Amino acid sequence: MYLWNREMFLSPSHLNEGVAGLVDAVTHVNSVSDYEFRVWATVLGTFGRVGVGSTCEDFGAFSDEMATRGMEDEVFRAKVDAVGQSMAGNPEDSVWNILHTTGDAYEVQPVIAIIDNRLEVDQMPGAVMGSIDMADYLNGLTGTAVTVAVSQWGTGPSVRMMFGYDSVGQVQERTAVATADPGFMERAKAFQNDVGRSIESRSSVLRRIA
């Protein structure tokens, strides 16, 4: 299974119209596509950052459908042009190969937390194994659904962990439980010792808005 993401940044002066236009465009796409697209807005992270995501079994077929829509669907093209007027820069696309899931990770939770680590190639095997171990441990400790995915094209070698929650309050509660747990801290320390320092590490909390 693959996860496709498009990350966008909306201008603060056009945030409301940009979000409304994006939701409108994605609603149209969902009415004509074989895939389901979702819209996410930042709770914690860069202000104005929004994302569109979808999962697929075959990214080649998924990409072909998107390209055809971009060339032939005039309604979609007009909606994209409208959203473009509210953007503060060019969007960034990435595709992630989902390697491991725990709990109801394929259910779409209202809130997700994401940790992305960009790494050197030789760090990837250890990072993947450590992330999977951590995902299983956290699912057992807090019941949180966790997905582990990797990407290379468009991102550089990267490992992503995604955590699903019912609410922002649940993010707070379960984070407190994890950080107070000795087993979690031991695994976090072992990950750092075994994998080393990431080139770049980024975290965010997002809320689904469509």
Side-chain angles (χ1 to χ4, degrees):
M1 181 73 75
Y2 294 91
L3 169 67
W4 171 84
N5 279 159
R6 173 165 292 167
E7 183 179 280
M8 293 163 278
F9 293 90
L10 300 176
S11 169
S13 60
H14 297 283
L15 183 63
N16 291 329
E17 60 196 90
V19 169
L22 183 60
V23 170
D24 181 48
V26 169
T27 299
H28 168 73
V29 170
N30 283 338
S31 72
V32 298
S33 175
D34 291 332
Y35 305 96
E36 182 182 1
F37 293 79
R38 307 175 184 97
V39 184
W40 301 88
T42 297
V43 176
L44 296 173
T46 304
F47 180 78
R49 177 186 174 213
V50 293
V52 178
S54 183
T55 54
C56 61
E57 295 284 354
D58 182 345
F59 180 67
F62 177 90
S63 180
D64 289 345
E65 188 207 81
M66 290 183 59
T68 299
R69 182 164 47 251
M71 291 185 292
E72 300 179 359
D73 187 336
E74 294 300 329
V75 173
F76 172 72
R77 288 162 61 91
K79 292 180 185 297
V80 169
D81 286 344
V83 174
Q85 302 302 310
S86 300
M87 291 178 60
N90 292 330
E92 180 175 316
D93 289 3
S94 61
V95 62
W96 299 81
N97 183 8
I98 297 174
L99 300 181
H100 185 74
T101 61
T102 68
D104 297 323
Y106 282 114
E107 298 294 324
V108 181
Q109 285 88 2
V111 174
I112 58 172
I114 298 176
I115 299 174
D116 286 339
N117 282 298
R118 189 161 61 89
L119 303 153
E120 300 289 355
V121 173
D122 61 358
Q123 294 176 288
M124 288 291 288
V128 169
M129 294 297 293
S131 297
I132 290 174
D133 177 62
M134 184 67 84
D136 290 340
Y137 185 79
L138 285 174
N139 179 251
L141 178 67
T142 66
T144 302
V146 188
T147 297
V148 178
V150 297
S151 181
Q152 180 163 339
W153 303 114
T155 60
S158 301
V159 177
R160 167 174 287 185
M161 297 185 72
M162 295 179 290
F163 309 84
Y165 301 96
D166 293 332
S167 65
V168 174
Q170 193 175 74
V171 178
Q172 177 179 324
E173 293 164 6
R174 292 187 175 180
T175 300
V177 170
T179 54
D181 179 74
F184 170 81
M185 298 307 295
E186 288 173 7
R187 284 167 172 77
K189 184 177 180 179
F191 184 95
Q192 182 66 40
N193 291 337
D194 295 344
V195 177
R197 187 179 297 276
S198 302
I199 297 172
E200 180 183 10
S201 183
R202 185 176 71 168
S203 65
S204 56
V205 177
L206 308 174
R207 188 193 306 273
R208 186 181 178 186
I209 58 174

